[in-house]
Amino acid sequence: MTTAQTHTLAVPGVDLVYDVRGPLPPSGGRPALLMIGQPMTAEGFNALAPHFTDRTVVTYDPRGLGRSVRTDGRTDHTPQQQAADLHLLVEALGAGPVEVFASSGGAVTALELVATHPGDVVTLVAHEPPINAVLPDAGAAERARAGFYEAYQAKGTGAGMAAFIAMTSWQGEFTDAYFSQPAPDPATFGMSTDDDGTRDDPLLSKNSWAISDYRPDAGLLTAAPTRIVVAVGEESAGTYTARTALGLAAMLGQQAVVFPSHHGGFLGGEFGYAGKPEEFAARLREVLDAG
């Protein structure tokens, strides 16, 4: 397995920490492959990256998350700021343009990177980006998001995460049936009901609302030289992020490409949300090679 080399890039407002597996510039005639998430950090790709030993793989901790400590005094996580950071990272690698596998909020950041710096990315595989604007029930999705935020504010992490899981596992549009449900019990998901008093979780607070509030510019994205592939998990069918993936694909005039497993299909078991990383890697390689 290729050993990851850790580096720090000082950019305005943050020291971005990133890991490189493989040589720079890349060998073998293939561009570097960036794997990005949000609010997930680089460690979330520990099960996926080792399946690409023939590629130079770069992972990073987004601004204000994990090892990338902010100095700008802000707590919000916006795709615009993160895309600007990624642009500087691609420049610092000296190996652009790159290929990008981006999941969840990272896929939203990557879409903004393509829209603003289209020359940075050859191929983007955008895996289940949570974008309310592409849903027919966008207003209801925002209400559902407010629901898990309010549960978090009222009772802490366990209650917030239980409500978040209820939202993201709900099948279909957010109807009156969804909103009439009783509040989910954290114990059902093996979580504590204790409240540690913190209210700054990047997933449960409003710090990352700019991600799901993002409005992709279809004109800029389709005009870019970047090949964009929207990916959806086969086990995600009907859920919130599967629906946002399908909505984005339709906006871009394409069909979403089905990947193994679920929203965390590339994860190993270390996060308690195990997917099928080996099968996922094979599908990702197939999609990238098709370009």
Side-chain angles (χ1 to χ4, degrees):
M1 182 174 66
T2 304
T3 302
Q5 300 294 321
T6 299
H7 305 268
T8 300
L9 175 64
V11 302
V14 68
D15 289 335
L16 281 182
V17 178
Y18 65 99
D19 305 305
V20 180
R21 295 172 172 84
L24 285 174
S27 61
R30 294 297 302 271
L33 172 59
L34 268 64
M35 296 181 177
I36 64 175
Q38 203 283 331
M40 189 181 69
T41 54
E43 63 181 352
F45 297 103
N46 284 347
L48 181 63
H51 292 284
F52 292 87
T53 55
D54 58 325
R55 302 286 302 273
T56 295
V57 176
V58 180
T59 56
Y60 91 127
D61 290 358
R63 174 180 294 248
L65 298 170
R67 301 164 295 173
S68 292
V69 179
R70 310 180 76 135
T71 58
D72 59 5
R74 300 182 62 165
T75 59
D76 58 333
H77 304 288
T78 71
Q80 292 79 12
Q81 181 63 75
Q82 292 180 359
D85 289 344
L86 278 178
H87 172 63
L88 295 176
L89 176 57
V90 171
E91 283 190 334
L93 293 174
V98 299
E99 293 185 322
V100 178
F101 168 70
S103 185
S104 196
V108 181
T109 295
L111 290 167
E112 176 65 11
L113 177 64
V114 170
T116 53
H117 300 284
D120 284 358
V121 184
V122 178
T123 297
L124 163 62
V125 179
H127 180 245
E128 299 196 7
I131 302 173
N132 289 336
V134 300
L135 294 176
D137 57 329
E142 292 172 4
R143 181 183 170 192
R145 178 184 65 180
F148 72 72
Y149 165 75
E150 290 163 4
Y152 175 54
Q153 292 298 310
K155 297 183 178 180
T157 301
M161 275 303 299
F164 174 80
I165 293 170
M167 174 191 172
T168 54
S169 61
W170 179 258
Q171 290 283 317
E173 296 189 12
F174 295 107
T175 60
D176 289 343
Y178 173 80
F179 294 108
S180 64
Q181 297 179 108
D185 181 358
T188 303
F189 306 103
M191 294 181 292
S192 172
T193 57
D194 293 340
D195 185 352
D196 65 6
T198 61
R199 293 296 185 271
D200 59 354
D201 184 278
L203 186 65
L204 302 176
S205 69
K206 290 185 177 182
N207 291 352
S208 298
W209 277 26
I211 297 291
S212 48
D213 283 339
Y214 182 70
R215 293 184 174 273
D217 188 318
L220 289 177
L221 293 172
T222 55
T226 306
R227 171 180 170 245
I228 300 174
V229 178
V230 181
V232 62
E234 63 182 346
E235 296 173 22
S236 300
T239 63
Y240 167 68
T241 52
R243 295 195 302 117
T244 56
L246 296 178
L248 175 65
M251 174 182 283
L252 299 179
Q254 59 176 262
Q255 296 288 321
V257 174
V258 178
F259 270 62
S261 197
H262 43 60
H263 190 65
F266 51 89
L267 295 174
E270 66 273 25
F271 293 93
Y273 192 51
K276 300 175 181 177
E278 184 173 356
E279 295 175 32
F280 198 100
R283 183 62 166 142
L284 178 57
R285 183 181 295 276
E286 180 182 88
V287 169
L288 292 173
D289 288 349

